[in-house]
Amino acid sequence: MKEVVISVYNRDYHYWINDLNKNIKITVYRKGDDLNIPDEIYIENNVGRDVHAYFYHIVNNYKNLADYTFTCQDFFYDHVSNYIDIINGDTTTFNSYAKQIFQNGCWFFCTSFPVLKCDKFGNPHHSGLDLESIWNILFKDKCPDILEFTPTGHFCVSKEHIHNRPLSFYKKILHFLETDDNAPWVIERLEPYIFNLNYEINE
């Protein structure tokens, strides 16, 4: 089973979800104004932006995740133009279009940017981030001087891959997203390492 986790703020998503295969589960987290739309899960404000919604889902559904979970903004076309085809596809499709792949259980997608590089302070794209201090909370390995990441945070991860890390690890990430205004941009840059099982975590 596949599940698409959509983080919604102020854009309509209903016009494109009908293009998804009918057997794909759709879970919507809305931030901002509560429009009382049935089947949406309302989160009171835009804490942690879209990244928060994805890890909120992992934490709160850790024991009953879909086989494959896709993260998705309410309007993804400017970031992953062929995302519908990717989601509807199989792992061969994921492998064909992914910018980064980890242990064949996590795939990152973006058609608008290449894989980007930054230093431990977010330079050159987002100066002033303290990546190393959060890295040291999450990982035992030394923080790389240069980190590589797929921007925009659209990824697919298998249930088995997520379960290689304990729930407590994802709770740390969620707490950071709920308490630090810079967290969405920090976690975006750390996501490839969060899901790369070659990096040992602090438990």
Side-chain angles (χ1 to χ4, degrees):
M1 182 185 73
K2 298 176 185 175
E3 182 171 14
V4 179
V5 175
I6 307 172
S7 179
V8 176
Y9 185 63
N10 61 357
R11 287 172 166 166
D12 180 30
Y13 59 91
H14 293 89
Y15 68 96
W16 60 259
I17 60 174
N18 291 329
D19 294 328
L20 295 171
N21 290 340
K22 301 306 179 188
N23 61 344
I24 295 175
K25 182 179 179 181
I26 297 170
T27 300
V28 178
Y29 294 91
R30 178 175 292 278
K31 300 187 176 187
D33 296 330
D34 185 1
L35 303 182
N36 295 309
I37 297 176
D39 300 322
E40 289 188 349
I41 299 167
Y42 178 63
I43 298 175
E44 188 171 350
N45 54 48
N46 200 21
V47 59
R49 301 171 65 89
D50 56 318
V51 185
H52 170 270
Y54 308 148
F55 284 94
Y56 180 93
H57 181 84
I58 290 173
V59 166
N60 287 281
N61 296 274
Y62 185 80
K63 292 184 178 180
N64 60 343
L65 292 163
D67 296 326
Y68 296 96
T69 297
F70 288 84
T71 61
C72 189
Q73 296 177 4
D74 47 12
F75 184 84
F76 59 82
Y77 293 99
D78 54 348
H79 295 318
V80 191
S81 59
N82 61 339
Y83 208 26
I84 294 290
D85 293 333
I86 293 171
I87 296 171
N88 285 339
D90 56 18
T91 55
T92 301
T93 308
F94 309 165
N95 288 330
S96 297
Y97 292 106
K99 288 289 176 68
Q100 291 177 294
I101 304 171
F102 299 105
Q103 288 82 35
N104 210 35
C106 182
W107 300 261
F108 285 84
F109 308 102
C110 185
T111 54
S112 56
F113 296 101
V115 173
L116 299 181
K117 296 181 179 181
C118 72
D119 65 15
K120 292 183 284 190
F121 304 99
N123 300 309
H125 307 101
H126 195 133
S127 301
L129 298 178
D130 185 1
L131 293 164
E132 187 170 22
S133 66
I134 303 306
W135 174 282
N136 290 336
I137 292 171
L138 296 177
F139 300 104
K140 291 182 179 179
D141 297 276
K142 184 179 183 295
C143 182
D145 291 328
I146 300 297
L147 298 100
E148 297 187 359
F149 67 100
T150 301
T152 79
H154 288 82
F155 59 88
C156 170
V157 60
S158 74
K159 175 174 61 178
E160 289 78 11
H161 199 83
I162 290 173
H163 285 168
N164 279 294
R165 307 287 204 198
L167 177 59
S168 57
F169 177 69
Y170 301 108
K171 284 183 174 179
K172 282 183 185 179
I173 297 166
L174 185 63
H175 175 74
F176 178 51
L177 287 162
E178 292 176 341
T179 56
D180 190 307
D181 289 341
N182 286 323
W185 295 277
V186 171
I187 296 301
E188 178 186 33
R189 285 152 178 78
L190 295 185
E191 279 169 348
Y193 304 91
I194 288 168
F195 293 111
N196 185 340
L197 304 179
N198 291 328
Y199 289 86
E200 188 175 2
I201 64 171
N202 285 317
E203 298 190 48

